[in-house]
Every structure is written in C-alpha cells, then in structure tokens.
C-alpha cells in the first residue's frame, strides 16, 4: 500500500527514505542487485497494490552510491516504468533523492533508452495518452535527457512532442518509414475538434482512447 502504518489513509501518499529502511540496509550489505531483481518481479507480476512504492524503491536503488545497484536499477527502468506515468514518477523521486546529483550520465542514458527502445507507433501512443504527470511533461524530460533519436520514427514523435504537429509534418511527411506514425498523430490532432461521426471513425481506425 505504500504505508507502514496499521491503517491506510487516502492522504498518506508521501514516500520517503524512512519508509524504505529495509531496502537501504540490504543495499549496504551488498544485496542491492537482488533488491532490484525483487522490485522487477513485484512490478512485472503485478504483486504490488500500487506502483508508486515500487517506482520509489527503484529510484532509491538508482540513486545509491553502490555502482552495481545503480547499474541494475537503471537497466531495469524500462521493465518497471512501462508507461509515462511511471517514468515521470521515477524522475520525480530521483529528483527528491538526488541531493544535488542532478542528471548524470547513467540517468540520462536510461531515460534515453526508455524513449528510443520503443517502436515509433507505441511511443506515439504513449506520449499522446500520457502527456503530463507529477508536474513533468515529455518536453521537460526530453530536453533534460538530451535524446538524439537514431531513427526517423522516434525523431518524428520527438519533433511532435517538442515542436508540434506542423513542424512534424514539415520534416517527416512523405517518408515511407514514418507514414503510419504521422497518420496516427494526425488522427490525434483531428480528434481535438472532430464532430461525433468523425470521432467514432477515428476511434475505430486508430484505437484512440479517452485521453485522446
């Protein structure tokens, strides 16, 4: 539940190091990598009632000084933080735990991998469905992680996020390898002003969801 108390209160959402003393002790005794393995297992198997405590535990490992624990945590990022909501929570937790560490090389590389390892279509779906959470947006995260897309598909989605649909169309329209991605992004834009009949058609064809 993310609460160590005997009763769970709706307002009891703050997570801190004092709630993760057992994890810190395990890391200090050389079991940090095993802790990360357990975090991944709990997340992937859906064994936690809420995802935030799982993400907080991962952030705690990522911000630890033990090199092996830190490396394992960042390597597991895409397994635990499967949607942008989780990614933004991880970034926020890392900020609160950083104590001036900022966006180091390992942190930037892990965030870059989160974006670049997805297919263009799945990334387009993710960034348009979950635009912002916890005070973070994809624009913020992309600028801080200094992502340099290696494919036109990922570059197309990043251009859309940072510069908007017109800039995206100007640079990528007509390129065969990003045709489906552009079509989806156009549908998302059309949904903003569509009438009922058009909206139904867009939902059926492009699998748009409520957030779109």
């Amino acid at each position: 539940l993310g609460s160590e108390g005997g009763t769970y209160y709706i307002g009891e959402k703050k997570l801190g190091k004092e709630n993760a003393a057992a994890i810190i002790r395990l890391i200090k005794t050389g079991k940090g990598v095993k802790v990360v393995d357990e975090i991944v297992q709990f997340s992937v198997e859906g064994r936690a009632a809420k995802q935030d405590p799982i993400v907080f535990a991962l952030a705690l490992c990522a911000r630890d000084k033990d090199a092996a624990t830190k490396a394992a945590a960042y390597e597991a990022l895409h397994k635990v933080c499967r949607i942008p909501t989780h990614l933004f929570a991880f970034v926020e937790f890392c900020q609160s735990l950083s104590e001036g560490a900022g966006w180091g090389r390992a942190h930037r590389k892990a965030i870059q991998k989160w974006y670049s390892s997805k297919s263009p279509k799945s990334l387009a779906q993710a960034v348009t469905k979950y635009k912002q959470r916890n005070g973070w947006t994809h624009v913020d995260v992309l600028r801080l992680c200094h992502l340099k897309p290696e494919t036109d598909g990922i570059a197309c989605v990043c251009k859309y996020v940072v510069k908007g649909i017109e800039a995206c169309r100007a640079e990528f329209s007509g390129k065969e390898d990003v045709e489906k991605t552009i079509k989806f992004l156009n549908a998302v834009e059309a949904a903003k002003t569509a009438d009922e009949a058009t909206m139904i058609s867009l939902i059926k064809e492009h699998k748009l969801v409520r957030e779109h």
Side-chain angles (χ1 to χ4, degrees), residues 133-151:
R133 295 289 190 280
N134 299 317
W136 290 88
T137 68
H138 291 287
V139 175
D140 301 327
V141 175
L142 285 171
R143 284 178 174 159
L144 285 167
C145 79
H146 304 153
L147 176 64
K148 293 184 173 112
E150 296 179 2
T151 67

Side-chain angles (χ1 to χ4, degrees), residues 2-73:
S3 167
E4 290 188 346
T7 306
Y8 178 74
Y9 296 97
I10 290 173
E12 192 176 344
K13 289 183 178 178
K14 188 176 179 182
L15 295 166
K17 284 186 176 181
E18 64 274 12
N19 286 329
I23 290 176
I24 295 169
R25 285 197 303 271
L26 286 164
I27 294 171
K28 284 182 177 177
T29 55
K31 297 183 177 72
V33 175
K34 288 185 178 181
V35 169
V36 174
D37 290 342
E38 195 77 1
I39 289 169
V40 172
Q41 188 175 348
F42 262 73
S43 177
V44 172
E45 293 179 2
R47 292 168 60 189
K50 294 283 185 182
Q51 184 74 354
D52 271 4
I54 290 285
V55 176
F56 179 78
L58 186 70
L60 199 61
C61 292
R63 284 311 199 195
D64 197 81
K65 292 177 181 177
D66 180 68
T69 303
K70 183 191 289 282

